Amino acid sequence: MLLEALLAIVVGLVVLVWSADRFVDGAASLARHLGMSSLLIGILVIGFGTSMPEMVVSGLSALNGSSGIALGNAYGSNITNIALILGLTALISPLGVNKTVITKELPVLIIVTALSCWLLWDTTISREESVVLLVVFILYVIATIRESRKQMQQMKGNTLNTGDELMDSQLMPIKKAIFWLILGLLLLMASSQLLVWGAIQVAQYFGVSDLVIGLTVVAVGTSLPEVAASIAAARKSEVDLAIGNIIGSNLYNTLAVVGLAGVIHPIQVEEAVLSRDMLVMSALTLGIFIFSLKAFLMKGRIGRLAGGSLFFSYVVYTIFLIKTAM
């Protein structure tokens, strides 16, 4: 049974990442055929697509009554995104920081993190509180779309047209786009179910809580699309994209992923989530804000020293999780 469960986790993770990539490609091409701008595609399609693994896994976990995996997946992915992914990305290539990250994206993430702490304080996330998270998420998406439309109107010219023409030249046919969109979504759901099943079996075999499994194996697995995107951006010297990608993913996780899971089934929160995981996630969120503000004010970048400290914090956190679980 243990071998089957471990195999299910490996196969589930591999298919999960591959199907998420196909889903995003199909959705992006279909969106272009429907006349959406590249800006809106980046916000709605790519941002939503890279968070689909977390959403599907947490939703299925909630349906199966494994709220620990659902919550651990969301918050564990946030910790992984900042400490592991941004840390590794900064080690590969120092990260540039623009004004929008300092004035809008990171402050919004800090506020949303504070809201989550407040909702978790009574160790329960009710359906009503989950609805609040989803409403905040919808308002954030609407506000972002409106701002992007304003930017698009201001940027009408050669640069935007050239980018759109380049995207149009890379489109797959609409029938192929629909095919990959549907197949990618079906494989996402199937592989997520396989992953959740395997994770639950391993947790029960070793006597480890499903929260710890969600914070480690499942969180890292569902964050692989962000890993691929950020590392690829660093290798192509598109380092400015890395922070925005991670911040957007964390917002989706905190609001949409937890909100969806809580609407499906109210979540009973272990005390360790407040005293350990939320504390680490909040500290990392404030930490990346401080690193980014310092880099912006000094007209520099988040360097390898900061990246190394983020990566080291992830290693320490993971070791502590494993030791407390044994």
Side-chain angles (χ1 to χ4, degrees):
M1 179 63 72
L2 177 61
L3 184 60
E4 293 176 355
L6 291 173
L7 182 62
I9 290 176
V10 173
V11 173
L13 286 175
V14 171
V15 178
L16 184 73
V17 175
W18 184 84
S19 58
D21 188 48
R22 300 286 82 77
F23 172 81
V24 170
D25 287 345
S29 292
L30 180 61
R32 288 298 297 165
H33 281 296
L34 296 177
M36 291 178 63
S37 71
S38 56
L39 289 171
L40 292 182
I41 291 172
I43 295 166
L44 296 179
V45 180
I46 305 302
F48 179 78
T50 55
S51 293
M52 275 295 292
E54 286 89 345
M55 289 185 183
V56 177
V57 167
S58 291
L60 290 174
S61 298
L63 284 172
N64 292 332
S66 300
S67 58
I69 287 183
L71 202 61
N73 177 33
Y75 295 153
S77 292
N78 285 1
I79 293 170
T80 300
N81 285 345
I82 295 177
L84 177 61
I85 300 176
L86 274 185
L88 285 176
T89 306
L91 283 171
I92 294 173
S93 181
L95 299 171
V97 180
N98 60 48
K99 186 177 180 180
T100 304
V101 170
I102 301 298
T103 59
K104 178 198 169 187
E105 294 178 345
L106 277 172
V108 169
L109 181 59
I110 291 173
I111 293 172
V112 166
T113 302
L115 173 64
S116 297
C117 290
W118 180 66
L119 292 178
L120 262 67
W121 198 253
D122 60 354
T123 66
T124 302
I125 300 180
S126 65
R127 282 195 172 92
E128 292 76 13
E129 291 171 333
S130 300
V131 170
V132 170
L133 291 174
L134 291 176
V135 169
V136 173
F137 170 71
I138 293 170
L139 292 175
Y140 170 77
V141 171
I142 292 174
T144 304
I145 290 173
R146 288 180 176 177
E147 182 177 339
S148 297
R149 283 178 175 173
K150 291 180 181 178
Q151 293 178 356
M152 186 172 59
Q153 291 175 354
Q154 295 172 357
M155 294 172 61
K156 281 182 178 178
N158 293 333
T159 303
L160 184 61
N161 291 338
T162 300
D164 286 346
E165 288 174 4
L166 179 60
M167 288 188 67
D168 288 338
S169 67
Q170 298 173 340
L171 285 182
M172 62 178 69
I174 188 168
K175 290 183 179 179
K176 186 177 180 181
I178 294 174
F179 170 78
W180 283 119
L181 178 68
I182 296 174
L183 181 62
L185 183 59
L186 291 175
L187 288 176
L188 262 175
M189 297 181 68
S191 59
S192 298
Q193 182 68 60
L194 187 64
L195 173 61
V196 169
W197 177 84
I200 292 173
Q201 296 303 314
V202 171
Q204 292 176 347
Y205 183 87
F206 288 106
V208 178
S209 70
D210 55 1
L211 173 64
V212 173
I213 294 294
L215 286 164
T216 53
V217 177
V218 180
V220 172
T222 55
S223 292
L224 289 179
E226 285 87 352
V227 173
S230 296
I231 299 298
R235 287 179 175 176
K236 296 176 182 178
S237 299
E238 298 285 351
V239 293
D240 291 345
L241 300 176
I243 294 181
N245 175 38
I246 295 304
I247 293 172
S249 177
N250 281 19
L251 284 169
Y252 274 84
N253 291 340
T254 307
L255 295 173
V257 174
V258 176
L260 177 63
V263 166
I264 293 173
H265 192 283
I267 301 174
Q268 294 297 319
V269 182
E270 296 183 24
E271 290 185 6
V273 174
L274 275 172
S275 62
R276 179 191 63 202
D277 308 315
M278 284 298 296
L279 187 62
V280 171
M281 188 175 80
S282 300
L284 286 171
T285 302
L286 290 173
I288 195 62
F289 176 76
I290 292 171
F291 286 146
S292 300
L293 182 61
K294 179 182 177 182
F296 179 75
L297 293 177
M298 297 181 66
K299 297 182 179 180
R301 292 173 178 266
I302 299 176
R304 291 184 171 87
L305 180 60
S309 65
L310 289 173
F311 179 73
F312 179 73
S313 68
Y314 179 78
V315 173
V316 172
Y317 169 74
T318 303
I319 292 174
F320 179 75
L321 267 182
I322 295 174
K323 283 189 175 181
T324 55
M326 296 177 67

